[in-house]
Each structure stands twice: as structure tokens, then as C-alpha cells.
Amino acid sequence: MERTLQVAKKDTSFMYRLRLRRLKHAFFTGLGLILIAFAGFSGYTLANSSFFDLEEIRVEGNAAISRDEIVALSGLRMGDNLLKVSGGRVAESISVQPYIKEIGVKRVFPGRVEIRVGERTPMALVGADGQYLVLDESGYCLTEAALVAAESWTLPCIRCSSEGVALEPGRQTQDKGILAALALIKKLDPFFLENILEFDAPSAEKLAVINIDGLPVYFGPPEDLDRKLQNYEELLIKNREKCNASTLNYVDIRYDTQITLSWK
């Protein structure tokens, strides 16, 4: 009998502890759910409050493009929720501007967006049949220019085929003659450029520099430019009194095996 009572007490004690553990588990589970719900509600309320409203847009690195144009392209508006602003989408929207070479967008909480841009630099004016384009050093078209406006640009001028100017702003030319001319222009210092009227680029093989006096000098493809420039300097700068448009029809320095001077 006594043994039976002891077993009954042990069973009762075990069941009590089991119920107590279950109650504790249920209590802490409920408490956890309440805290999660409270945190979620608080986060939602905070995220949709005015605390994260966009109050400032900083633009850096721009020169040719105005701040207002960049902000307008970004699609950002004061009061936008910064948590809902996508830096990638903002950068993509701004990158449609042909002058934009690279762009970075940074969110600074609680209410600022910083936009940093790198711009393309105009290098040459490309023209054919009265149509002109402004290109950067890589051949990207930055803008179109009418004849009157083209005359106001202080850029080296490249004459090309009509196909060479069939290019929309923001697109890169694949015309080999234009690309050869751009490669040559990048190698020239201001002293050389002052003595050049324009670049004639119907093709890379026929690329020619037209001197200020009208003398054509054939450079050809953009290979071995150092040698070609050295020959140009020796013939047409150091000996300009003898070698000029009055005495020559053209000069051909395309080939390292032979320099051709066509005398009048």
C-alpha cells in the first residue's frame, strides 16, 4: 500500500512538471509572437513614417550637365521614402544622358541621396553632307550639331562618309576611319593641332591630315603612330619652307618602308 502511494506521488509530480513546462512553453511562444508582431508593426510604422522622407539630393562630378537635369532624370522627388528608393534604377534612369560615362548612387539614411557622375569629354566634331556630330575619345556620340552651331565648337574636325554620321546620341561609332582619326587626335599635342585644318577619314587606310595650308598628309591606320608623327615633324615642321602646299601635292607616311612626297 505504501509502495502504491509512493508511485502515485511520483506520477502526480511528473505530470505536474510536464504541465508546468507546457505552460511555460506556451507562455514564451505567445510572448515571442507578440514581440514579433509588435516589432513588425513598429518597423512598418517607422518605414512608412516621415522619418525616412527624402530631404536632400547631392550631385557631384557634373560640369556639362546641370544638376537640375540630373535630378530630373533620376526620377527622385522630395518626400520619397528612402527605403523604397532603388539606387540601381536611379542610375539606369540617369545613364540615358549621352554625356554620362559612369554613375554611382548612394543612399544616406535617414533622408539623403548622393549621386556622383563621370562625364564624357567632347574630343572631335564629325561631319558629312552638312550634318555634324560631337564625339568623345571612344567614339560615343554626345550630341548632334547644326552647321551654324558646329562652327562654334573649338574641336578638331573629322570629315567622313555619310554613313559615319548616321549615329544617334549615346551610341558608339563603329566607323574604322573615324576611330582611326580619334586615335590620332589623342596622340597629338596642342602644337600639332594648331597646324591642322581637319582630318579626312573616308576609311582607316585612307586617313589623312589636312594641314592648315591645305596639304594632305596620309597617316593611314592608327598603328606605329610614333614613327609617323616623327616623320611628320621632320618633313613638315622642321622643313616647312621646302615642304608645304605650295611645293607638294601630298605626303604619304603610311608605310615604314617608304615615304612618298608628290612634288608639284
Short mmCIF file of all heavy atoms in Angstrom, two decimals, residues 18-66:
data_model
loop_
_atom_site.label_atom_id
_atom_site.label_comp_id
_atom_site.label_asym_id
_atom_site.label_seq_id
_atom_site.Cartn_x
_atom_site.Cartn_y
_atom_site.Cartn_z
N LEU A 18 5.35 18.29 -16.07
CA LEU A 18 5.08 18.27 -17.51
C LEU A 18 4.12 19.39 -17.89
O LEU A 18 4.34 20.11 -18.88
CB LEU A 18 4.52 16.91 -17.91
CG LEU A 18 4.20 16.73 -19.41
CD1 LEU A 18 5.47 16.89 -20.24
CD2 LEU A 18 3.55 15.38 -19.66
N ARG A 19 3.03 19.53 -17.08
CA ARG A 19 2.07 20.61 -17.37
C ARG A 19 2.73 21.98 -17.21
O ARG A 19 2.46 22.92 -17.97
CB ARG A 19 0.86 20.48 -16.43
CG ARG A 19 -0.09 19.35 -16.81
CD ARG A 19 -1.43 19.52 -16.12
NE ARG A 19 -1.29 19.45 -14.68
CZ ARG A 19 -1.36 18.33 -13.98
NH1 ARG A 19 -1.54 17.16 -14.60
NH2 ARG A 19 -1.23 18.35 -12.67
N LEU A 20 3.61 22.11 -16.22
CA LEU A 20 4.28 23.39 -15.98
C LEU A 20 5.18 23.75 -17.15
O LEU A 20 5.21 24.91 -17.59
CB LEU A 20 5.10 23.29 -14.68
CG LEU A 20 5.79 24.58 -14.23
CD1 LEU A 20 4.74 25.66 -13.95
CD2 LEU A 20 6.62 24.33 -12.96
N ARG A 21 5.92 22.75 -17.67
CA ARG A 21 6.78 23.01 -18.83
C ARG A 21 5.95 23.41 -20.04
O ARG A 21 6.33 24.31 -20.80
CB ARG A 21 7.61 21.77 -19.15
CG ARG A 21 8.80 21.56 -18.21
CD ARG A 21 9.83 20.63 -18.84
NE ARG A 21 9.28 19.31 -19.09
CZ ARG A 21 9.33 18.31 -18.22
NH1 ARG A 21 9.89 18.50 -17.04
NH2 ARG A 21 8.82 17.14 -18.53
N ARG A 22 4.81 22.75 -20.21
CA ARG A 22 3.95 23.08 -21.34
C ARG A 22 3.40 24.50 -21.21
O ARG A 22 3.32 25.23 -22.19
CB ARG A 22 2.80 22.06 -21.44
CG ARG A 22 3.25 20.70 -21.94
CD ARG A 22 2.10 19.71 -21.92
NE ARG A 22 2.52 18.42 -22.48
CZ ARG A 22 1.74 17.35 -22.49
NH1 ARG A 22 0.51 17.41 -21.97
NH2 ARG A 22 2.19 16.22 -23.02
N LEU A 23 3.04 24.86 -20.00
CA LEU A 23 2.53 26.21 -19.78
C LEU A 23 3.62 27.26 -20.05
O LEU A 23 3.36 28.31 -20.67
CB LEU A 23 2.01 26.35 -18.35
CG LEU A 23 0.69 25.65 -18.04
CD1 LEU A 23 0.37 25.71 -16.54
CD2 LEU A 23 -0.45 26.31 -18.82
N LYS A 24 4.84 26.96 -19.58
CA LYS A 24 5.95 27.89 -19.83
C LYS A 24 6.23 28.03 -21.32
O LYS A 24 6.46 29.13 -21.84
CB LYS A 24 7.20 27.41 -19.11
CG LYS A 24 7.17 27.59 -17.61
CD LYS A 24 8.50 27.12 -16.99
CE LYS A 24 8.50 27.34 -15.48
NZ LYS A 24 9.79 26.87 -14.89
N HIS A 25 6.23 26.87 -21.99
CA HIS A 25 6.48 26.89 -23.43
C HIS A 25 5.42 27.71 -24.17
O HIS A 25 5.73 28.53 -25.05
CB HIS A 25 6.51 25.45 -23.95
CG HIS A 25 6.72 25.37 -25.44
ND1 HIS A 25 7.93 25.63 -26.04
CD2 HIS A 25 5.84 25.07 -26.44
CE1 HIS A 25 7.82 25.49 -27.35
NE2 HIS A 25 6.54 25.15 -27.61
N ALA A 26 4.14 27.47 -23.78
CA ALA A 26 3.06 28.21 -24.42
C ALA A 26 3.17 29.70 -24.11
O ALA A 26 2.93 30.56 -24.99
CB ALA A 26 1.70 27.67 -23.94
N PHE A 27 3.57 30.01 -22.87
CA PHE A 27 3.70 31.42 -22.47
C PHE A 27 4.78 32.13 -23.28
O PHE A 27 4.56 33.21 -23.84
CB PHE A 27 4.00 31.51 -20.97
CG PHE A 27 4.33 32.91 -20.53
CD1 PHE A 27 3.33 33.86 -20.33
CD2 PHE A 27 5.66 33.28 -20.31
CE1 PHE A 27 3.64 35.14 -19.92
CE2 PHE A 27 5.98 34.57 -19.90
CZ PHE A 27 4.98 35.50 -19.71
N PHE A 28 5.95 31.51 -23.35
CA PHE A 28 7.05 32.15 -24.07
C PHE A 28 6.82 32.18 -25.58
O PHE A 28 7.23 33.12 -26.26
CB PHE A 28 8.37 31.45 -23.74
CG PHE A 28 8.89 31.77 -22.38
CD1 PHE A 28 8.96 30.80 -21.39
CD2 PHE A 28 9.30 33.07 -22.06
CE1 PHE A 28 9.43 31.10 -20.12
CE2 PHE A 28 9.78 33.37 -20.79
CZ PHE A 28 9.84 32.39 -19.81
N THR A 29 6.15 31.15 -26.08
CA THR A 29 5.80 31.16 -27.50
C THR A 29 4.85 32.31 -27.82
O THR A 29 5.01 33.05 -28.78
CB THR A 29 5.15 29.82 -27.91
OG1 THR A 29 6.08 28.76 -27.68
CG2 THR A 29 4.77 29.84 -29.39
N GLY A 30 3.83 32.45 -26.97
CA GLY A 30 2.89 33.56 -27.15
C GLY A 30 3.56 34.90 -27.03
O GLY A 30 3.30 35.83 -27.80
N LEU A 31 4.44 35.01 -26.01
CA LEU A 31 5.17 36.26 -25.81
C LEU A 31 6.05 36.59 -27.02
O LEU A 31 6.12 37.74 -27.46
CB LEU A 31 6.02 36.17 -24.54
CG LEU A 31 6.84 37.43 -24.19
CD1 LEU A 31 5.92 38.63 -23.95
CD2 LEU A 31 7.71 37.17 -22.96
N GLY A 32 6.71 35.55 -27.57
CA GLY A 32 7.55 35.76 -28.75
C GLY A 32 6.75 36.24 -29.93
O GLY A 32 7.17 37.15 -30.66
N LEU A 33 5.58 35.63 -30.14
CA LEU A 33 4.72 36.04 -31.25
C LEU A 33 4.25 37.48 -31.07
O LEU A 33 4.18 38.25 -32.03
CB LEU A 33 3.52 35.10 -31.36
CG LEU A 33 3.84 33.66 -31.81
CD1 LEU A 33 2.59 32.79 -31.73
CD2 LEU A 33 4.39 33.67 -33.24
N ILE A 34 3.93 37.83 -29.82
CA ILE A 34 3.51 39.21 -29.53
C ILE A 34 4.64 40.20 -29.84
O ILE A 34 4.44 41.26 -30.45
CB ILE A 34 3.03 39.34 -28.08
CG1 ILE A 34 1.74 38.55 -27.87
CG2 ILE A 34 2.83 40.81 -27.71
CD1 ILE A 34 1.30 38.47 -26.42
N LEU A 35 5.87 39.83 -29.42
CA LEU A 35 7.02 40.71 -29.67
C LEU A 35 7.32 40.84 -31.16
O LEU A 35 7.65 41.93 -31.64
CB LEU A 35 8.25 40.18 -28.92
CG LEU A 35 8.20 40.26 -27.40
CD1 LEU A 35 9.41 39.59 -26.78
CD2 LEU A 35 8.12 41.73 -26.95
N ILE A 36 7.22 39.72 -31.88
CA ILE A 36 7.44 39.77 -33.33
C ILE A 36 6.40 40.65 -34.00
O ILE A 36 6.71 41.48 -34.87
CB ILE A 36 7.41 38.34 -33.92
CG1 ILE A 36 8.63 37.55 -33.45
CG2 ILE A 36 7.36 38.39 -35.44
CD1 ILE A 36 8.59 36.08 -33.83
N ALA A 37 5.15 40.46 -33.60
CA ALA A 37 4.08 41.29 -34.18
C ALA A 37 4.28 42.76 -33.85
O ALA A 37 4.11 43.64 -34.70
CB ALA A 37 2.72 40.82 -33.66
N PHE A 38 4.71 43.03 -32.61
CA PHE A 38 4.95 44.41 -32.21
C PHE A 38 6.12 45.01 -33.00
O PHE A 38 6.06 46.16 -33.45
CB PHE A 38 5.25 44.46 -30.71
CG PHE A 38 5.55 45.84 -30.21
CD1 PHE A 38 4.54 46.78 -30.02
CD2 PHE A 38 6.87 46.22 -29.93
CE1 PHE A 38 4.83 48.06 -29.57
CE2 PHE A 38 7.17 47.50 -29.49
CZ PHE A 38 6.15 48.43 -29.30
N ALA A 39 7.20 44.21 -33.14
CA ALA A 39 8.36 44.70 -33.90
C ALA A 39 7.99 44.96 -35.36
O ALA A 39 8.41 45.96 -35.96
CB ALA A 39 9.50 43.68 -33.82
N GLY A 40 7.20 44.03 -35.93
CA GLY A 40 6.78 44.22 -37.32
C GLY A 40 5.92 45.45 -37.48
O GLY A 40 6.10 46.24 -38.43
N PHE A 41 4.99 45.63 -36.55
CA PHE A 41 4.13 46.81 -36.61
C PHE A 41 4.94 48.09 -36.44
O PHE A 41 4.74 49.07 -37.16
CB PHE A 41 3.04 46.72 -35.53
CG PHE A 41 2.17 47.93 -35.46
CD1 PHE A 41 1.17 48.14 -36.39
CD2 PHE A 41 2.35 48.88 -34.44
CE1 PHE A 41 0.36 49.27 -36.33
CE2 PHE A 41 1.55 50.00 -34.38
CZ PHE A 41 0.55 50.21 -35.32
N SER A 42 5.89 48.05 -35.50
CA SER A 42 6.72 49.23 -35.25
C SER A 42 7.58 49.54 -36.48
O SER A 42 7.74 50.70 -36.88
CB SER A 42 7.61 49.02 -34.03
OG SER A 42 6.83 48.80 -32.87
N GLY A 43 8.18 48.46 -37.07
CA GLY A 43 9.00 48.65 -38.26
C GLY A 43 8.20 49.19 -39.42
O GLY A 43 8.64 50.09 -40.14
N TYR A 44 7.00 48.65 -39.61
CA TYR A 44 6.14 49.12 -40.69
C TYR A 44 5.76 50.58 -40.48
O TYR A 44 5.80 51.39 -41.42
CB TYR A 44 4.89 48.25 -40.77
CG TYR A 44 3.89 48.72 -41.80
CD1 TYR A 44 4.04 48.39 -43.13
CD2 TYR A 44 2.80 49.51 -41.42
CE1 TYR A 44 3.13 48.84 -44.09
CE2 TYR A 44 1.89 49.96 -42.35
CZ TYR A 44 2.06 49.62 -43.70
OH TYR A 44 1.16 50.07 -44.63
N THR A 45 5.41 50.90 -39.25
CA THR A 45 5.03 52.29 -38.94
C THR A 45 6.20 53.24 -39.16
O THR A 45 6.05 54.32 -39.76
CB THR A 45 4.55 52.39 -37.48
OG1 THR A 45 3.46 51.49 -37.28
CG2 THR A 45 4.11 53.81 -37.16
N LEU A 46 7.41 52.82 -38.72
CA LEU A 46 8.59 53.66 -38.89
C LEU A 46 8.96 53.80 -40.35
O LEU A 46 9.28 54.90 -40.83
CB LEU A 46 9.76 53.07 -38.11
CG LEU A 46 11.09 53.85 -38.18
CD1 LEU A 46 10.93 55.26 -37.60
CD2 LEU A 46 12.19 53.09 -37.43
N ALA A 47 8.90 52.67 -41.08
CA ALA A 47 9.28 52.69 -42.50
C ALA A 47 8.35 53.58 -43.33
O ALA A 47 8.75 54.14 -44.34
CB ALA A 47 9.29 51.27 -43.06
N ASN A 48 7.13 53.68 -42.91
CA ASN A 48 6.16 54.49 -43.67
C ASN A 48 5.90 55.84 -43.02
O ASN A 48 4.98 56.55 -43.42
CB ASN A 48 4.84 53.72 -43.81
CG ASN A 48 4.95 52.54 -44.75
OD1 ASN A 48 4.83 52.69 -45.96
ND2 ASN A 48 5.22 51.37 -44.19
N SER A 49 6.74 56.18 -42.05
CA SER A 49 6.61 57.49 -41.43
C SER A 49 7.45 58.50 -42.20
O SER A 49 8.15 58.17 -43.15
CB SER A 49 7.06 57.43 -39.97
OG SER A 49 8.47 57.25 -39.91
N SER A 50 7.40 59.73 -41.80
CA SER A 50 8.17 60.80 -42.44
C SER A 50 9.64 60.77 -42.06
O SER A 50 10.43 61.55 -42.59
CB SER A 50 7.56 62.16 -42.07
OG SER A 50 7.61 62.36 -40.65
N PHE A 51 10.03 59.86 -41.18
CA PHE A 51 11.42 59.81 -40.72
C PHE A 51 12.38 59.53 -41.88
O PHE A 51 13.49 60.04 -41.91
CB PHE A 51 11.58 58.73 -39.65
CG PHE A 51 12.96 58.64 -39.07
CD1 PHE A 51 13.43 59.62 -38.19
CD2 PHE A 51 13.81 57.60 -39.41
CE1 PHE A 51 14.71 59.54 -37.65
CE2 PHE A 51 15.09 57.52 -38.89
CZ PHE A 51 15.54 58.49 -38.01
N PHE A 52 11.95 58.69 -42.86
CA PHE A 52 12.80 58.35 -43.99
C PHE A 52 12.45 59.14 -45.26
O PHE A 52 12.81 58.72 -46.36
CB PHE A 52 12.71 56.84 -44.28
CG PHE A 52 13.33 55.99 -43.20
CD1 PHE A 52 12.54 55.26 -42.33
CD2 PHE A 52 14.70 55.95 -43.05
CE1 PHE A 52 13.11 54.47 -41.34
CE2 PHE A 52 15.28 55.16 -42.06
CZ PHE A 52 14.48 54.43 -41.19
N ASP A 53 11.77 60.25 -45.13
CA ASP A 53 11.45 61.08 -46.29
C ASP A 53 12.72 61.68 -46.88
O ASP A 53 13.62 62.13 -46.15
CB ASP A 53 10.51 62.22 -45.89
CG ASP A 53 9.07 61.74 -45.74
OD1 ASP A 53 8.82 60.55 -45.99
OD2 ASP A 53 8.21 62.56 -45.37
N LEU A 54 12.80 61.69 -48.20
CA LEU A 54 13.96 62.27 -48.89
C LEU A 54 13.94 63.78 -48.73
O LEU A 54 12.97 64.45 -49.10
CB LEU A 54 13.91 61.90 -50.37
CG LEU A 54 15.05 62.43 -51.25
CD1 LEU A 54 16.40 61.91 -50.76
CD2 LEU A 54 14.84 62.02 -52.71
N GLU A 55 15.02 64.32 -48.17
CA GLU A 55 15.10 65.76 -47.91
C GLU A 55 16.23 66.45 -48.68
O GLU A 55 16.24 67.66 -48.78
CB GLU A 55 15.30 66.00 -46.41
CG GLU A 55 14.14 65.50 -45.54
CD GLU A 55 14.39 65.74 -44.06
OE1 GLU A 55 15.53 66.07 -43.70
OE2 GLU A 55 13.43 65.58 -43.27
N GLU A 56 17.18 65.65 -49.21
CA GLU A 56 18.33 66.27 -49.88
C GLU A 56 18.85 65.35 -50.99
O GLU A 56 18.95 64.14 -50.80
CB GLU A 56 19.45 66.53 -48.86
CG GLU A 56 20.67 67.22 -49.46
CD GLU A 56 21.79 67.39 -48.45
OE1 GLU A 56 21.63 66.91 -47.29
OE2 GLU A 56 22.82 67.98 -48.80
N ILE A 57 19.20 65.96 -52.14
CA ILE A 57 19.82 65.24 -53.25
C ILE A 57 21.12 65.95 -53.60
O ILE A 57 21.11 67.12 -54.01
CB ILE A 57 18.91 65.18 -54.49
CG1 ILE A 57 17.57 64.52 -54.15
CG2 ILE A 57 19.61 64.43 -55.64
CD1 ILE A 57 16.57 64.57 -55.29
N ARG A 58 22.23 65.27 -53.41
CA ARG A 58 23.54 65.86 -53.74
C ARG A 58 24.02 65.30 -55.08
O ARG A 58 23.95 64.10 -55.32
CB ARG A 58 24.56 65.54 -52.65
CG ARG A 58 24.32 66.25 -51.34
CD ARG A 58 25.44 65.96 -50.36
NE ARG A 58 25.20 66.58 -49.06
CZ ARG A 58 26.01 66.45 -48.01
NH1 ARG A 58 27.13 65.72 -48.13
NH2 ARG A 58 25.72 67.03 -46.86
N VAL A 59 24.54 66.18 -55.94
CA VAL A 59 25.08 65.78 -57.24
C VAL A 59 26.53 66.26 -57.32
O VAL A 59 26.80 67.44 -57.12
CB VAL A 59 24.25 66.36 -58.41
CG1 VAL A 59 24.86 65.94 -59.75
CG2 VAL A 59 22.80 65.90 -58.31
N GLU A 60 27.43 65.35 -57.65
CA GLU A 60 28.85 65.69 -57.74
C GLU A 60 29.42 65.17 -59.05
O GLU A 60 28.94 64.19 -59.61
CB GLU A 60 29.63 65.08 -56.57
CG GLU A 60 29.18 65.56 -55.21
CD GLU A 60 29.93 64.87 -54.08
OE1 GLU A 60 30.60 63.84 -54.35
OE2 GLU A 60 29.86 65.34 -52.93
N GLY A 61 30.49 65.85 -59.55
CA GLY A 61 31.20 65.39 -60.74
C GLY A 61 30.64 65.92 -62.05
O GLY A 61 31.20 65.65 -63.12
N ASN A 62 29.54 66.66 -62.00
CA ASN A 62 28.94 67.16 -63.24
C ASN A 62 29.54 68.51 -63.63
O ASN A 62 29.86 69.34 -62.78
CB ASN A 62 27.43 67.30 -63.09
CG ASN A 62 27.03 68.25 -61.98
OD1 ASN A 62 27.52 68.13 -60.85
ND2 ASN A 62 26.16 69.20 -62.29
N ALA A 63 29.69 68.72 -64.93
CA ALA A 63 30.17 70.00 -65.45
C ALA A 63 29.33 70.41 -66.67
O ALA A 63 28.75 71.49 -66.69
CB ALA A 63 31.65 69.90 -65.83
N ALA A 64 29.27 69.53 -67.66
CA ALA A 64 28.49 69.83 -68.87
C ALA A 64 26.99 69.69 -68.63
O ALA A 64 26.18 70.36 -69.26
CB ALA A 64 28.93 68.92 -70.01
N ILE A 65 26.62 68.82 -67.70
CA ILE A 65 25.21 68.56 -67.42
C ILE A 65 24.82 69.25 -66.13
O ILE A 65 25.53 69.13 -65.12
CB ILE A 65 24.95 67.05 -67.30
CG1 ILE A 65 25.60 66.30 -68.45
CG2 ILE A 65 23.45 66.75 -67.27
CD1 ILE A 65 25.65 64.81 -68.25
N SER A 66 23.71 69.95 -66.14
CA SER A 66 23.29 70.68 -64.95
C SER A 66 22.76 69.74 -63.88
O SER A 66 22.31 68.62 -64.17
CB SER A 66 22.20 71.70 -65.30
OG SER A 66 20.99 71.04 -65.63
#
